[in-house]
């Protein structure tokens, strides 16, 4: 079988954050599949078919792309950030596991990209400099109970937490509720970073603290990082530097 499927991470926005490997895979593809706004970031190429779909249609998109590759085509599925982080690579794996046997014989390549948490962390300093975890606040695919349990366990265990999908039109209250829970477990001085549309023209990065962090600062294009007890803020002209020291102490754990 000659079909080929690449799942390509295009990073959070800045064209300079597209890897050479990702660029080559996008150029080589006969057909691109992806969420419309991600596809819009890929320059049009003559002869290349583009199949845009809604961001809720991941399984349809995965099946369409795999079906197309199974006909012998060279297909690329485009993902924002890294395709393995709350994105298309897992959807493709789910579709292969549950799909027709020929899909298992396809040549599948996952091409990594810069994930939003790495881009936001870089803007702020080094908040992910010690142990951290990533949590999606979307309750489309898991219950809010599970989310609450995980965020409390992560805060108690001393992890810095990167929150993906902090709010959406269908979920206006979750981030405020998450902050409320964290306030019961972490000091009010714990640093909180809001990174919005990082790497794009409309980028904003705000550093605040847990006691005054306002969930209304975040939208769908925002990644929120909540520090651990060890995370520190270095005041300086302009935006402060936020970092988590490399060594854990008993007091900060
Ligand atoms: N695969 C992507 C994440 C997809 S989930 C990655 O690795 O980055 C979508 C969420 O990612 C958004 O709700 C937001 O929390 C975050 N995100 C994506 N692009 C971003 C950007 N440019 N700036 C800040 N957050 C971003």
């Amino acid at each position: 079988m000659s079909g080929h499927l690449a799942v390509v991470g295009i990073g959070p926005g800045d064209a300079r954050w597209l890897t050479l490997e990702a660029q080559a895979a996008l150029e080589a593809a006969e057909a691109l599949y992806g969420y419309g706004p991600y596809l819009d970031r890929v320059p049009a190429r003559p002869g290349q078919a583009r199949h845009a779909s809604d961001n809720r249609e991941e399984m349809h998109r995965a099946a369409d792309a795999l079906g197309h590759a199974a006909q012998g085509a060279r297909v690329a599925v485009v993902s924002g950030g890294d395709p393995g982080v709350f994105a298309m690579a897992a959807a493709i794996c789910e579709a292969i596991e549950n799909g027709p046997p020929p899909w298992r014989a396809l040549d599948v390549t996952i091409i990594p990209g810069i994930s939003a948490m790495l881009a936001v962390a870089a803007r702020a300093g080094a908040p992910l400099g010690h142990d951290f975890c990533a949590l999606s606040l979307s309750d489309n695919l898991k219950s809010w109970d599970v989310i609450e349990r995980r965020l409390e366990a992560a805060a108690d265990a001393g992890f810095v937490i990167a929150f993906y999908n902090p709010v959406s039109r269908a979920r206006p209250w979750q981030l405020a509720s998450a902050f409320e829970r964290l306030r019961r477990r972490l000091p009010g001085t714990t640093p909180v970073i809001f990174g919005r549309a990082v790497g794009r023209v409309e980028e904003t990065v705000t550093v605040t603290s847990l006691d005054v962090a306002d969930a209304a600062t975040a939208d769908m294009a925002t990644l929120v990082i909540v520090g651990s007890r060890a995370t520190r803020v270095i005041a300086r002209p302009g935006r402060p530097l936020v970092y988590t020291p490399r060594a854990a102490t008993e007091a900060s754990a």
Side-chain angles (χ1 to χ4, degrees), residues 74-130:
R74 179 165 280 275
V75 172
V77 175
V78 175
S79 208
D82 180 89
V85 178
F86 305 123
M88 282 309 292
I92 294 285
C93 291
E94 287 168 32
I96 291 173
E97 185 171 17
N98 300 311
W103 287 3
R104 297 187 181 213
L106 285 170
D107 181 6
V108 174
T109 317
I110 316 290
I111 298 178
I114 295 178
S115 191
M117 67 179 173
L118 304 180
V120 173
R123 289 289 195 254
L128 308 182
H130 196 67

Side-chain angles (χ1 to χ4, degrees), residues 111-204:
I111 298 178
I114 295 178
S115 191
M117 67 179 173
L118 304 180
V120 173
R123 289 289 195 254
L128 308 182
H130 196 67
D131 297 345
F132 67 90
C133 67
L135 194 65
S136 169
L137 280 191
S138 169
D139 58 2
N140 286 340
L141 300 168
K142 62 187 167 186
S143 73
W144 181 249
D145 272 0
V146 169
I147 297 172
E148 278 183 344
R149 238 184 304 129
R150 288 185 182 166
L151 80 92
E152 292 182 349
D156 290 348
F159 289 112
V160 171
I161 310 173
F163 290 104
Y164 285 77
N165 300 305
V167 266
S168 78
R169 250 162 281 138
R171 295 179 293 106
W173 55 268
Q174 274 87 343
L175 183 62
S177 169
F179 282 160
E180 238 355 278
R181 298 218 153 228
L182 292 174
R183 282 186 192 114
R184 286 183 225 147
R185 308 181 109 78
L186 293 170
T189 52
T190 304
V192 176
I193 302 153
F194 291 92
R196 174 166 193 282
V198 167
R200 305 182 207 150
V201 281
E202 66 274 25
E203 167 175 328
T204 52

